[in-house]
Amino acid sequence: MVTRKQLVYLLVFVILMTTSFPVHAANQNIIDNNQTNIAKDQSVENVVVIGNDLVIEGTVKDAVIVINGDLTVKQTAQIQGVVVVLGGGIQEEQGAKITDNVLNLSFRHEVLNSLLLGLSVIIGIWIAKFGLSILLILLLFLTVLLAKKRLKPIQDQIAKSPKRLIFIGIAASILLFAVSILLTITVIGIPIVMILLAIILGFLVLSLATLSKMVGAYLLRNKEDHWKIPLVGAITLVAGINFPFFGGVLFLILVWISMGIMTLWISDWMKRIRKPSSSE
């Protein structure tokens, strides 16, 4: 059900949208772009002032709206409805009777600076995110083109058992996190942690590149090593990572898959090293 306040807001909005010149309708609704004064013995329904100041000494029964100007409420004033001041301040003398329904947005230099700073930060984050996305797409695309058939073992591992890779990756992530915490306690361990991070990033890029190739081949229904396959796959994968909430979950799963691949690769590498020694 529409309340009286909502009707007042709607009325003022209609007046603003349909009026481009000062209006004084039997002193009931006042809309002006000059400095306006509601006298002590004057009573009006609504008053709207745009681009100038408003001084109220009398009575306003419904709405007071001031845009890009200051509102001064004198001691004898009585405001029974809503008060909205955008782009200015409110000065209220002691003894004035003013409603509690007051909205004041003062766009002074401090507020503007804060808004501009916040907007700049948001735009900067968006530009940085967009730039990183483009770089990641190019990196995955070039990795597929340069590595070519060397990604085949990783592709076979992912196609064979992705769930197994995720579980192995989760366990490896927990273990690696604990080891990294212990290593960072000492100065000597910090370079080791940096080397481990570099290895993890390398496997992450290889895993993402392989998945880009697989996704591109699935979307294009093509198994050949065409340049469109890794490009379409990389764009789709990066777009999925950037998707709100879902992207974070997807990226975490991809990290676990790459950790699983890295763990299995290290395990196989250690087995190959032990074979000659055991044969001797």
Side-chain angles (χ1 to χ4, degrees), residues 55-236:
V55 179
I56 299 179
E57 298 178 272
T59 302
V60 180
K61 297 180 180 179
D62 285 324
V64 175
I65 295 181
V66 181
I67 300 176
N68 196 24
D70 295 327
L71 170 64
T72 301
V73 184
K74 295 294 185 178
Q75 183 179 4
T76 56
Q78 294 186 21
I79 302 177
Q80 302 169 5
V82 294
V83 176
V84 180
V85 179
L86 305 177
I90 300 176
Q91 296 180 359
E92 180 183 353
E93 291 186 356
Q94 188 175 2
K97 296 180 181 180
I98 187 171
T99 177
D100 293 332
N101 302 315
V102 178
L103 173 62
N104 181 209
L105 296 178
S106 179
F107 297 107
R108 304 301 186 186
H109 295 298
E110 296 82 2
V111 178
L112 285 176
N113 291 337
S114 299
L115 290 175
L116 290 175
L117 179 60
L119 184 61
S120 300
V121 170
I122 293 173
I123 294 175
I125 292 174
W126 185 86
I127 292 175
K129 191 174 182 180
F130 180 77
L132 289 174
S133 299
I134 297 297
L135 289 177
L136 182 58
I137 291 173
L138 292 176
L139 178 61
L140 299 181
F141 175 71
L142 293 175
T143 301
V144 174
L145 292 183
L146 295 175
K148 294 183 179 179
K149 295 182 179 180
R150 294 181 181 179
L151 298 177
K152 186 67 167 58
I154 298 178
Q155 182 175 343
D156 293 339
Q157 284 184 332
I158 296 175
K160 183 179 179 181
S161 181
K163 293 182 180 179
R164 178 169 175 260
L165 290 176
I166 292 175
F167 288 125
I168 294 175
I170 293 174
S173 300
I174 296 173
L175 178 61
L176 188 61
F177 178 76
V179 172
S180 300
I181 294 296
L182 294 175
L183 288 174
T184 51
I185 296 176
T186 61
V187 179
I188 302 176
I190 295 177
I192 300 177
V193 174
M194 299 302 293
I195 293 173
L196 289 175
L197 288 176
I199 295 174
I200 293 172
L201 288 176
F203 273 95
L204 180 60
V205 171
L206 291 175
S207 302
L208 291 178
T210 304
L211 287 168
S212 298
K213 182 180 177 181
M214 297 173 67
V215 170
Y218 175 79
L219 293 176
L220 296 178
R221 299 292 190 270
N222 191 347
K223 304 298 181 181
E224 298 179 359
D225 292 333
H226 196 274
W227 65 269
K228 290 183 180 179
I229 292 177
L231 182 60
V232 171
I235 293 174
T236 304

Side-chain angles (χ1 to χ4, degrees), residues 242-275:
N242 286 322
F243 199 83
F245 179 73
F246 170 78
V249 177
L250 176 62
F251 182 75
L252 189 59
I253 293 174
L254 296 177
V255 170
W256 287 336
I257 289 176
S258 66
M259 290 291 294
I261 293 172
M262 183 187 71
T263 304
L264 294 179
W265 184 86
I266 293 175
S267 177
D268 293 339
W269 177 70
M270 293 180 67
K271 288 178 181 179
R272 287 195 299 267
I273 293 178
R274 291 175 181 176
K275 279 184 179 180

